C-alpha cells in the first residue's frame, strides 16, 4: 500500500465518516470492504451475538484479539455470493454506522506504520468500546445521572426509581461510588463493563417497575454518579470513566451553579457532539419565584449554544432541556417520558458510538486533510523555482550576466578616455587563452541532490 492508495482512502472516508476526513481534491475511488465473519450470522444475513437466541450475554473479558488490531489488511476478503460479510454481533448497529466503523478500522490499520500510537489511540479506543458494547445487550439503554455537588441528582435518581436507593443529605460529597438501578433483567454484562459491583446494583420499587403506564422505562439502566466537582480525586475519576461508557447522560444543574465553568469547559463543551444523547435538566425550580424559571432556562440555553451544543427544539435533533423539581415531583414525568422514548427506540447506543466516531475523525482530520486544492499552488511553484535556481546556480549566473551587460554599456557609452583605455586593455588581452569555468564534480553532485530534494518537497 503506497502513499497514493492512502490518499485515495482518505478521500473516500469523506463519505463513510460523515465528511470529517475528506480531502479537498477529487473523489476517492477505493471502496472500503467490510470484514468477514465466520460465525454468528442469522438466516437474514444479519450477524447476531453468539448466544443471543438463548438470551445469554457474552462476557466482556473473553479471550480474543483486539478488535482494531487483528491483521485487518491481511484478512480482508471480497464479496461472497453478492453480499458483504459483516462482523459477528453487529446486529445492534445500522448499516451506515457499520460502514463508518469499518472505514475507521481500515484507516487505523493502514496508518499504524505511518503514525505514532498516541495519534491513533482515540480512534482505537472508539473501535474497542464499539465492539464491547455491540457484544452486550441491545435491549438495554444505560443512562447516567451526573451533576455538581448539591445539584440534587441523587434525589432525582430516587424519584425516578420510586424508592430511596441513593443516599441524600447535607454532607458533601454524599455519593461516593456509582449506584445502578435496572428496570429490566439481563443487564449484568453492561454493569460489569461499567465496573459497578453487585452491592451497588438496585431495582426500582415494585410499583414503578410493574405499573402499566405510558412511561414504563422498559430496558432502562440508570446510574447515579458521584459529583463531578467532588473534592475527592477518585470520585472525579469514576465520573470520567463511566461517562465514556454509558449510552446517554442526564446533566442535573441547579439555579446557583448552572453556569459553573468546570461543568461547561470540562464536560459540556467537549461533549457537544453528543447532544442527541444528552439531557440537561434544571433542578430545584421550586426555589425560583414567578417567571424566574423561564429567565434561568433562557440563560441556560444561551450557555449551551455557546458551548456548541445543538438543542432538540422544534423537531430538530439535539439535547433536551427540561425544568423540574426532584423534591416536589414537578416536571419529573416529562423527564420520565423522554427516558421512556429513548429506551423504546433503542438507538441511544448507536448514536453514542456515531458521535464518538465523529470525534475521532475530527481528531485525525488534520493528519490527512490539508485543506488545499490538488496540485501545486502558486506559492509552492515559486518556492520550487527558487530551490531549482539555487541548485543550478542561477543566481550567480544572473549576477555575472548583469556585470557583463554593465561592461558592454560602458564600452558603448563611456567617455573617449575610457574607450581608449578599454581599447588598450583589449590589445593586451589579444593572444591570451580564455577557458570556460569548470564545475567541480562535488558541486555537481550537490546540485543534483538539491534538485531531488526540491522535487520531493
Amino acid at each position: 500500500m503506497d502513499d497514493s492508495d492512502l490518499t485515495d482512502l482518505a478521500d473516500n472516508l469523506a463519505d463513510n465518516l460523515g465528511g470529517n476526513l475528506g480531502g479537498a481534491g477529487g473523489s476517492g475511488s477505493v471502496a472500503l470492504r467490510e470484514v468477514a465473519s465466520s460465525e454468528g450470522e442469522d438466516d437474514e444475513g444479519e450477524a447476531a451475538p453468539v448466544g443471543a437466541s438463548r438470551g445469554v450475554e457474552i462476557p466482556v473479558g473473553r479471550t480474543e484479539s483486539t478488535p482494531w488490531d487483528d491483521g485487518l489488511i491481511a484478512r480482508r476478503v471480497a464479496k461472497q455470493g453478492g453480499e458483504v460479510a459483516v462482523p459477528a454481533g453487529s446486529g445492534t448497529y445500522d448499516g451506515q454506522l457499520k460502514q463508518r466503523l469499518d472505514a475507521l478500522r481500515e484507516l487505523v490499520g493502514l496508518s499504524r506504520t505511518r503514525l505514532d500510537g498516541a495519534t491513533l489511540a482515540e480512534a482505537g479506543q472508539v473501535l474497542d468500546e464499539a465492539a464491547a458494547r455491540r457484544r452486550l445487550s441491545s435491549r438495554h439503554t444505560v443512562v447516567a445521572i451526573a451533576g455538581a455537588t448539591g445539584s440534587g441528582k441523587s434525589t432525582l435518581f430516587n424519584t425516578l426509581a420510586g424508592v430511596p436507593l441513593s443516599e441524600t443529605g447535607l454532607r458533601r460529597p454524599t455519593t461516593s461510588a456509582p449506584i445502578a438501578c435496572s428496570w429490566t433483567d439481563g443487564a449484568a454484562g453492561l454493569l460489569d463493563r461499567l465496573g459497578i459491583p453487585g452491592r451497588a446494583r438496585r431495582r426500582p420499587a415494585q410499583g414503578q417497575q410493574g405499573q402499566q403506564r405510558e412511561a414504563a422505562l422498559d430496558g432502562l439502566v440508570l446510574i447515579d454518579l458521584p459529583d463531578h466537582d467532588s473534592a475527592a480525586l477518585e470520585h472525579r475519576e469514576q465520573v470520567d470513566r463511566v461517562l465514556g461508557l454509558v449510552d446517554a447522560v442526564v446533566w442535573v444543574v441547579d439555579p446557583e451553579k448552572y453556569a459553573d465553568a468546570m461543568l461547561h469547559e470540562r464536560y459540556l463543551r467537549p461533549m457537544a457532539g453528543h447532544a442527541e444523547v444528552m439531557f440537561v435538566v434544571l433542578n430545584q425550580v421550586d426555589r425560583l419565584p414567578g417567571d424566574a424559571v423561564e429567565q434561568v432556562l433562557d440563560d441556560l440555553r444561551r450557555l449551551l449554544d455557546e458551548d456548541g451544543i445543538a438543542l432538540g427544539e422544534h423537531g430538530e435533533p439535539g439535547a433536551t432541556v427540561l425544568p423540574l423539581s426532584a423534591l416536589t415531583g414537578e416536571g419529573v414525568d416529562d423527564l420520565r417520558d423522554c427516558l421512556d422514548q429513548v429506551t423504546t427506540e433503542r438507538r441511544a447506543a448507536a448514536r453514542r458510538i456515531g458521535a464518538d466516531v465523529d470525534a475521532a475523525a475530527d481528531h485525525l482530520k488534520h493528519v490527512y486533510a490539508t485543506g488545499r486544492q490538488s496540485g501545486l499552488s502558486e506559492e509552492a511553484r515559486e518556492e520550487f523555482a527558487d530551490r531549482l535556481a539555487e541548485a543550478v546556480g542561477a543566481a550567480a549566473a544572473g549576477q555575472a550576466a548583469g556585470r557583463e551587460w554593465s561592461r558592454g554599456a560602458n564600452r558603448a557609452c563611456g567617455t573617449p578616455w575610457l574607450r581608449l583605455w578599454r581599447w588598450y586593455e583589449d590589445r593586451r588581452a589579444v593572444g591570451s587563452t580564455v577557458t570556460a569555468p569548470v564545475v567541480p564534480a562535488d558541486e555537481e553532485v550537490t546540485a543534483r541532490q538539491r534538485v531531488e530534494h526540491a522535487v520531493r518537497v
Side-chain angles (χ1 to χ4, degrees):
M1 181 65 66
D2 54 17
D3 292 340
S4 62
D5 294 332
L6 183 59
T7 302
D8 292 339
L9 176 62
D11 292 337
N12 192 38
L13 288 172
D15 296 330
N16 290 328
L17 292 183
N20 286 319
L21 284 178
S27 61
S29 60
V30 178
L32 299 179
R33 292 171 292 181
E34 300 188 5
V35 184
S37 173
S38 58
E39 61 177 1
E41 295 190 21
D42 56 18
D43 296 337
E44 299 179 355
E46 286 290 337
V50 178
S53 60
R54 301 185 300 273
V56 180
E57 296 180 354
I58 301 176
V60 178
R62 71 176 186 180
T63 59
E64 62 178 24
S65 60
T66 304
W68 65 281
D69 192 16
D70 55 356
L72 173 68
I73 302 176
R75 302 201 308 171
R76 284 185 300 172
V77 295
K79 295 181 180 180
Q80 300 176 356
E83 295 184 1
V84 180
V86 295
S90 60
T92 56
Y93 300 151
D94 58 15
Q96 181 181 6
L97 181 56
K98 286 188 291 186
Q99 292 177 3
R100 300 181 66 203
L101 287 171
D102 291 340
L104 183 61
R105 185 180 297 109
E106 185 162 1
L107 177 65
V108 172
L110 294 172
S111 304
R112 289 196 196 102
T113 58
R114 294 173 170 85
L115 301 177
D116 59 279
T119 305
L120 299 174
E122 181 179 355
Q125 184 178 3
V126 170
L127 294 172
D128 290 344
E129 297 301 339
R133 182 63 181 91
R134 180 180 55 192
R135 291 194 298 265
L136 299 174
S137 173
S138 61
R139 62 187 295 261
H140 290 84
T141 301
V142 183
V143 180
I145 298 183
T149 302
S151 61
K153 53 184 176 49
S154 296
T155 303
L156 178 61
F157 178 81
N158 295 335
T159 302
L160 292 173
V163 62
L165 302 178
S166 184
E167 181 182 358
T168 61
L170 299 178
R171 180 178 59 88
R172 298 291 182 261
T174 304
T175 305
S176 59
I179 300 177
C181 179
S182 177
W183 269 253
T184 310
D185 295 332
L190 292 170
L191 297 179
D192 290 340
R193 177 171 175 252
L194 297 177
I196 299 179
R199 64 178 181 276
R201 304 178 185 183
R202 306 285 190 270
R203 297 301 299 269
Q206 186 63 32
Q208 294 286 335
Q209 180 184 2
Q211 61 185 347
Q212 299 296 327
R213 59 189 304 270
E214 182 180 358
L217 301 181
D218 181 46
L220 176 64
V221 180
L222 203 61
I223 310 296
D224 183 24
L225 296 179
D227 303 331
H228 69 76
D229 59 349
S230 173
L233 177 61
E234 59 272 16
H235 294 179
R236 300 196 300 270
E237 292 177 348
Q238 291 184 66
V239 172
D240 295 342
R241 178 182 59 83
V242 175
L243 285 179
L245 301 175
V246 297
D247 302 329
V249 58
V250 177
W251 289 103
V252 182
V253 298
D254 62 85
E256 295 180 355
K257 301 172 67 176
Y258 70 91
D260 182 47
M262 175 181 290
L263 171 64
H264 290 269
E265 295 178 3
R266 184 175 179 180
Y267 293 101
L268 295 182
R269 197 166 300 166
M271 296 181 64
H274 297 72
E276 291 192 60
V277 291
M278 186 184 302
F279 300 87
V280 182
V281 297
L282 177 63
N283 193 19
Q284 304 176 10
V285 295
D286 55 300
R287 299 170 50 191
L288 297 175
D291 58 352
V293 175
E294 292 300 328
Q295 296 178 3
V296 175
L297 280 176
D298 290 341
D299 194 43
L300 176 58
R301 293 189 181 97
R302 178 187 62 83
L303 293 175
L304 295 176
D305 183 70
E306 292 179 355
D307 293 334
I309 299 177
L311 301 181
E313 299 176 346
H314 310 293
E316 297 293 331
T320 301
V321 181
L322 295 173
L324 56 82
S325 173
L327 187 61
T328 64
E330 177 185 357
V332 176
D333 287 341
D334 295 334
L335 176 61
R336 185 179 284 110
D337 292 337
C338 293
L339 295 177
D340 181 65
Q341 181 179 358
V342 171
T343 55
T344 302
E345 293 177 351
R346 299 181 182 179
R347 294 285 302 145
R351 290 171 180 169
R352 169 61 192 263
I353 297 299
D356 291 341
V357 173
D358 290 338
D362 187 69
H363 178 73
L364 293 174
K365 179 179 179 180
H366 71 281
V367 179
Y368 298 98
T370 61
R372 298 187 300 181
Q373 297 292 335
S374 59
L376 294 178
S377 62
E378 291 299 326
E379 180 181 357
R381 291 178 183 275
E382 294 178 0
E383 182 180 357
F384 181 59
D386 292 341
R387 288 178 179 270
L388 291 181
E390 180 182 358
V392 301
Q399 294 174 0
R403 289 193 297 267
E404 182 63 25
W405 182 89
S406 179
R407 285 195 296 267
N410 288 333
R411 292 191 186 99
C413 304
T415 61
W417 295 107
L418 181 59
R419 291 199 298 271
L420 179 61
W421 181 79
R422 292 190 180 279
W423 174 81
Y424 175 74
E425 290 292 332
D426 292 339
R427 289 293 301 271
R428 290 184 56 185
V430 173
S432 61
T433 303
V434 180
T435 58
V438 179
V439 179
D442 55 348
E443 293 185 6
E444 182 180 356
V445 173
T446 303
R448 183 181 298 107
Q449 292 175 350
R450 291 178 180 177
V451 171
E452 293 176 354
H453 178 68
V455 171
R456 288 195 299 270
V457 172

